[in-house]
Amino acid sequence: MFLTWQPRCDREHSGGHVIIPVDQADDERLADYVKLREVNLRRLLEEEHGLFIAEGDKVIRRAADAGYEPRSFLLAQRWLDSLADVLAKWPDAPVYLVSEELAEQVTGFHVHRGALASYRRRPAEDLGTLLDGVRHGRIAIFDDIVDHTNVGAGFRAAAAMGVDAVLVTPTCADPLYRRSVKVSMGTVFQVPWTRLTSWPADLVRLQEHGFVTAAFALTDDSISLDELVALKHDRLALIFGTEGHGLRRDVLERADFTVRIPMAGGVDSLNVASSAAVAFYATRP
């Protein structure tokens, strides 16, 4: 059963881009946006077609500002004017005009303010090149963090605290999955990042580039975050582990330091994104 919202016309041009009204949820042109809530199905689609979804006008704009190329836009009428400059940059990308009700039917959830865009992914950055570009001396490593919300929040903290780059391990959730992008408020587009391919062996490459590696974990031999800061290392790689079990033993054994965040009130741990934010702030240049 499909909605019967009627577009004003079959096709119209505005500001050099093509507006295509769509009124049926099974229109094949909307394939990029179908059932965004189903993570496993989306992963297959995104890997095959090399795309990611930006949700909300601010995130759409930040992706465009970062130079990502849109495949298409899915917009309610009210966004045509405010996003006109973004649309004008990419006149060949179709703009599918839909009602907010239809957008919800297509995606499987209440679309944030009726604005979505599908963007093409870029090739992963080379690790050596990324490390050579570090300016302020701090990078973050997210290891096996499987919750997309935590990944997005971690990137947002990294951007806010001036972290130069983020590395994600092979089993970490996708930073460009819709939920990660949304929670990061698009800051995932402004922090250089890449996915490691040999973990934790890649720690050797970081150390060869002059990074001191600090793994955050509650162990008997850990030093406090204050002690790490007092050492005043010029180049730090801060490593954060999965939400449930933390970092594996082989990661801890290869790291230069194991670090804990002192806590009061009988609290033994923080959410991983909160821990990262605290560490990023404490180690800022």
Side-chain angles (χ1 to χ4, degrees):
M1 177 178 179
F2 302 113
L3 300 176
T4 58
W5 173 76
Q6 294 298 319
R8 293 179 299 173
C9 59
D10 291 336
R11 183 176 292 239
E12 63 185 52
H13 298 262
S14 175
H17 46 269
V18 179
I19 307 297
I20 306 173
V22 177
D23 64 353
Q24 291 196 339
D26 63 347
D27 192 308
E28 62 182 15
R29 293 171 294 186
L30 305 186
D32 284 3
Y33 306 97
V34 172
K35 303 302 179 188
L36 297 182
R37 191 177 270 170
E38 299 177 18
V39 176
N40 292 333
L41 293 177
R42 291 304 307 175
R43 184 178 296 118
L44 291 174
L45 176 64
E46 292 175 3
E47 289 178 355
E48 179 180 353
H49 295 285
L51 63 89
F52 67 87
I53 301 296
E55 180 185 354
D57 58 317
K58 290 182 180 179
V59 177
I60 290 172
R61 186 174 295 280
R62 283 180 174 167
D65 290 344
Y68 284 93
E69 179 186 357
R71 289 162 58 99
S72 65
F73 299 90
L74 183 74
L75 302 176
Q77 176 75 42
R78 61 189 173 122
W79 294 113
L80 293 182
D81 289 338
S82 62
L83 287 172
D85 59 321
V86 174
L87 304 181
K89 290 176 60 177
W90 307 100
D92 294 330
V95 181
Y96 300 120
L97 185 63
V98 299
S99 68
E100 295 186 31
E101 293 80 10
L102 182 62
E104 182 172 349
Q105 185 177 350
V106 170
T107 62
F109 68 96
H110 178 66
V111 177
H112 177 64
R113 305 177 73 182
L116 292 166
S118 171
Y119 281 93
R120 301 183 193 279
R121 292 183 181 235
R122 295 198 290 242
E125 291 202 44
D126 174 73
L127 177 59
T129 302
L130 188 149
L131 295 177
D132 288 340
V134 169
R135 296 175 300 165
H136 300 119
R138 289 180 307 154
I139 63 173
I141 302 174
F142 295 150
D143 180 18
D144 195 30
I145 299 176
V146 297
D147 184 276
H148 292 95
T149 297
N150 283 336
V151 170
F155 266 87
R156 190 171 182 178
M161 301 300 162
V163 172
D164 285 290
V166 173
L167 310 179
V168 297
T169 63
T171 55
C172 185
D174 181 11
L176 292 185
Y177 182 70
R178 179 190 64 86
R179 183 66 180 167
S180 298
V181 171
K182 179 180 179 181
V183 172
S184 81
M185 287 299 296
T187 55
V188 67
F189 307 133
Q190 69 190 64
V191 180
W193 69 277
T194 196
R195 188 175 291 277
L196 299 172
T197 57
S198 182
W199 179 253
D202 282 323
L203 284 174
V204 173
R205 295 190 62 186
L206 271 64
Q207 291 159 343
E208 290 174 348
H209 276 76
F211 283 92
V212 172
T213 55
F216 282 74
L218 298 173
T219 63
D220 293 338
D221 61 346
S222 63
I223 64 173
S224 72
L225 178 57
D226 294 329
E227 290 175 291
L228 176 69
V229 171
L231 293 173
K232 298 183 178 180
H233 294 293
D234 291 332
R235 292 165 77 83
L236 271 176
L238 308 175
I239 311 168
F240 305 92
T242 184
E243 299 86 344
H245 303 290
L247 294 167
R248 302 194 316 258
R249 180 173 296 277
D250 57 346
V251 176
L252 297 177
E253 290 174 348
R254 290 177 183 242
D256 295 311
F257 294 98
T258 304
V259 181
R260 69 183 183 279
I261 298 174
M263 302 178 202
V267 177
D268 62 354
S269 64
L270 294 173
N271 167 277
V272 63
S274 299
S275 296
V278 170
F280 297 158
Y281 181 79
T283 59
R284 69 196 186 281

